[in-house]
């Protein structure tokens, strides 16, 4: 499912009208009709009282089309235009004139006194500001937004709630429509998926307005990961396969007091389907792992003497390269100086796919230049704080611009960058994916270690790094979503994900109409 930024949508509209010769009036007609038909999925239109609040741009023109179609279906419709009809232009003016010719009640608002009749409607349609608008709403638009939010009506926004920006920015929370339903045109926009703007959208539907699929460029794709994508990516299991068929993975993890991270990662890789999981850990902790991991092959490694991996463990790890498909390193490693040097050496010398997480990322952050020109396929799985240490930024700023940051650094490093959070972004050198699964229960210790293991298990089975990362993130979130149906978000812990991962791996194939985003 494609996701389109503000400028991309503008280019798509232009190409549809100029390159394909589709009249913009037809696109507006399809947009308004799509909104009206979606409202009719929620309400019986006969006798429904509806107020369409229209701005003076094309979004307002969509609002006039919505009003016309709902009126034709039997609804009692009024239009509140923030301005005068003779101030409108192009398609918006044409549709306003059609609505006026039909005899629809149109109130032209030139001052705030005209807002007095805004209460008492069943449904309010927000057609004030569209995808092209940036910055804080002003004047009549700002006051209309406030009154919409104060009403008890069911609020439907056209394309996006007025007051938020298409690319996911929010200038002023008090001046953004809190919609119950948003019907967007042709493609999802980042604002429908990113926080905090996602919280203003309510249910999100996508209306087909007649733009040909060939209009959108195939390069530089931004997409939403869906259950259909997950089903297509899940590795097939050969009935005659063996451990080697499904791949061997080496996980290097753990330190004194952090054995849980290593165990979670190792178990997750096995649960995800890897044929064999090797766990490399500080040798002084052998008793801990021997008593707690049954399915994992243990590889004690050179130790500093206090439960941390020594730099000398690199030779042992590099010797294992021929036995395994990939190396996953980082969960619970700690930041002992020798362990840091171990990670940096492996980062420079390991020649197979590598997944770097947690303290592995913190070790690389001491020498970020190691990322420049890194040749083997690489997945990095930082949260905003870890990425901030890598790039010298601030976690809060990275979180606010997570989509742009993940995209930028995936290209810069020619790596797969999994920026964990809400939502998790999977940045790849040629495309970027937004993951819709998961919940606040994932905001607890150890869940990232499980994610590392899941992705490692998928790579072991033969998936390339980018598909493995986005499938792994989707499964990780889906396991959390399934788990909270029984135990709730407050009580979810990382170990629960291991129990619910099998259900998550089966879920893409279940008959369901539970997709978060539906197509009109």
């Amino acid at each position: 499912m494609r996701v389109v930024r503000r400028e991309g949508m503008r280019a798509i509209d232009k190409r549809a009208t100029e390159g394909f010769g589709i009249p913009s009036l037809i696109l507006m007609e399809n947009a308004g009709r799509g909104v009206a038909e979606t409202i009719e999925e929620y309400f019986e239109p006969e006798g429904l009282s509806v107020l369409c609040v229209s701005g003076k741009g094309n979004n307002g023109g969509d609002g006039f089309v919505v009003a016309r179609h709902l009126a034709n279906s039997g609804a009692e419709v009024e239009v509140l235009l923030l301005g005068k009809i003779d101030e409108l232009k192009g398609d918006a003016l044409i549709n306003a004139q059609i609505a006026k010719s039909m005899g629809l009640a149109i109130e032209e608002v030139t001052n705030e006194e005209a807002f007095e009749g805004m209460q008492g409607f069943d449904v309010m349609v927000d057609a004030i500001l569209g995808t092209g608008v940036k910055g804080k709403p002003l004047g009549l638009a700002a006051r209309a937004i406030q009154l919409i939010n104060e009403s008890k009506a069911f609020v439907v926004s056209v394309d996006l709630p007025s007051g938020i920006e298409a690319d996911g920015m929010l200038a002023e929370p008090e001046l953004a429509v809190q919609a119950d339903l948003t019907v967007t045109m042709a493609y999802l926009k980042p604002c429908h998926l990113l926080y905090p703007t996602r919280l203003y959208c309510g249910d999100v539907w996508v209306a087909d307005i007649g733009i040909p699929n060939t209009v959108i460029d195939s390069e530089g794709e931004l997409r939403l990961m869906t259950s259909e994508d997950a089903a297509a990516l899940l590795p097939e299991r050969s009935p005659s396969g063996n451990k080697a068929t499904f791949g061997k993975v080496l996980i290097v993890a753990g330190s004194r007091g952090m054995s849980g991270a290593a165990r979670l990662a190792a178990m997750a890789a096995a649960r995800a389907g890897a044929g064999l999981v090797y766990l490399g850990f500080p040798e002084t902790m052998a008793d801990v792992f021997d008593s707690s991991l049954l399915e994992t092959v243990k590889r004690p490694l050179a130790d500093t003497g206090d439960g941390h991996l020594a730099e000398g463990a690199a030779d042992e790890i590099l010797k294992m390269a021929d036995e395994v498909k990939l190396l996953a390193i980082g969960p619970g490693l700690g930041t002992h100086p020798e362990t840091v040097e171990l990670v940096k050496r492996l980062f420079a010398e390991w020649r197979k796919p590598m997944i770097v997480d947690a303290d592995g990322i913190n070790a690389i952050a001491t020498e970020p230049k190691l990322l420049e020109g890194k040749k083997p396929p690489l997945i990095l799985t930082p949260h905003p704080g870890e990425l901030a240490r890598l790039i010298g930024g601030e976690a809060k700023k990275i979180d606010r611009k997570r989509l742009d940051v993940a995209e930028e650094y995936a290209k810069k490093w020619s790596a797969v960058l999994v920026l964990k959070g809400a939502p998790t972004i999977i940045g790849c050198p040629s495309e970027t994916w937004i993951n819709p699964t998961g919940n606040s229960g994932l905001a607890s210790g150890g869940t990232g270690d499980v994610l590392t293991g899941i992705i490692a298990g998928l790579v072991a089975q033969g998936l390339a790094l980018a598909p493995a990362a986005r499938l792994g993130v989707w499964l990780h979130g889906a396991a959390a979503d399934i788990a909270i149906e029984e135990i709730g978000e407050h009580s979810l812990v990382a170990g629960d994900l291991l129990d619910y991962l099998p259900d998550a791996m089966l879920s893409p194939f279940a008959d369901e109409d539970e997709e978060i985003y539906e197509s009109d």
Side-chain angles (χ1 to χ4, degrees), residues 264-434:
L264 287 167
M267 284 302 301
R271 281 284 195 198
L276 196 61
V277 179
Y278 294 94
L279 178 63
F281 55 84
E283 60 188 358
T284 59
M285 297 181 65
D287 290 345
V288 174
F289 290 110
D290 280 338
S291 63
S292 60
L293 286 174
L294 303 179
E295 299 88 351
T296 304
V297 179
K298 291 86 170 179
R299 289 294 176 92
L301 299 170
D303 191 309
T304 60
D306 61 356
H308 292 85
L309 287 173
E311 185 177 357
D315 293 331
E316 302 168 68
I317 294 169
L318 290 168
K319 286 178 184 177
M320 293 184 64
D322 290 338
E323 297 182 53
V324 299
K325 281 194 173 182
L326 76 151
L327 168 66
I329 187 167
L333 272 186
T335 55
H336 188 286
E338 282 204 45
T339 309
V340 170
E341 292 306 311
L342 162 70
V343 173
K344 291 195 290 187
R345 181 181 167 191
L346 291 173
F347 196 82
E349 297 183 25
W350 185 267
R351 292 292 177 262
K352 285 189 171 182
M354 176 182 281
I355 303 172
V356 185
D357 181 37
D359 286 327
I361 293 172
N362 291 330
I364 301 303
T366 66
E367 194 175 342
K369 289 185 177 179
L370 287 170
L371 284 162
E372 298 175 9
K374 173 69 174 168
K375 297 299 181 185
L378 174 67
I379 298 177
L380 298 167
T381 62
H383 57 59
E386 291 162 346
L387 185 57
R389 289 189 278 277
L390 272 179
I391 66 175
E394 296 180 25
K396 288 184 178 180
K397 290 183 179 179
I398 289 172
D399 203 29
R400 283 197 297 269
K401 295 188 174 182
R402 56 179 35 250
L403 186 61
D404 295 334
V405 171
E407 188 172 65
E408 176 185 353
Y409 284 92
K411 291 178 180 177
K412 180 177 180 178
W413 295 330
S414 296
V416 177
L417 178 59
V418 176
L419 181 53
K420 295 181 287 195
T424 293
I425 308 296
I426 305 97
C428 310
S430 61
E431 61 186 16
T432 304
W433 293 76
I434 301 173

Side-chain angles (χ1 to χ4, degrees), residues 186-328:
Y187 308 100
L188 290 167
K189 317 304 183 297
C191 65
H192 303 131
L193 303 167
L194 303 178
Y195 291 99
T197 51
R198 176 175 173 174
L199 298 173
Y200 291 81
C201 296
D203 297 342
V204 179
W205 289 56
V206 179
D208 180 357
I209 63 172
I211 294 178
N213 291 335
T214 51
V215 168
I216 194 162
D217 294 332
S218 60
E219 298 300 321
E221 294 182 346
L222 176 60
R223 290 184 179 270
L224 176 71
M225 183 72 185
T226 66
S227 60
E228 290 84 0
D229 295 318
L233 290 175
L234 202 66
E236 295 184 3
R237 304 286 290 187
S238 169
S240 60
N242 55 44
K243 292 190 293 290
T245 307
F246 303 121
K248 301 176 183 179
V249 56
L250 170 60
I251 297 176
V252 175
S255 60
R256 182 69 61 187
M258 296 293 287
S259 62
R263 287 181 288 195
L264 287 167
M267 284 302 301
R271 281 284 195 198
L276 196 61
V277 179
Y278 294 94
L279 178 63
F281 55 84
E283 60 188 358
T284 59
M285 297 181 65
D287 290 345
V288 174
F289 290 110
D290 280 338
S291 63
S292 60
L293 286 174
L294 303 179
E295 299 88 351
T296 304
V297 179
K298 291 86 170 179
R299 289 294 176 92
L301 299 170
D303 191 309
T304 60
D306 61 356
H308 292 85
L309 287 173
E311 185 177 357
D315 293 331
E316 302 168 68
I317 294 169
L318 290 168
K319 286 178 184 177
M320 293 184 64
D322 290 338
E323 297 182 53
V324 299
K325 281 194 173 182
L326 76 151
L327 168 66

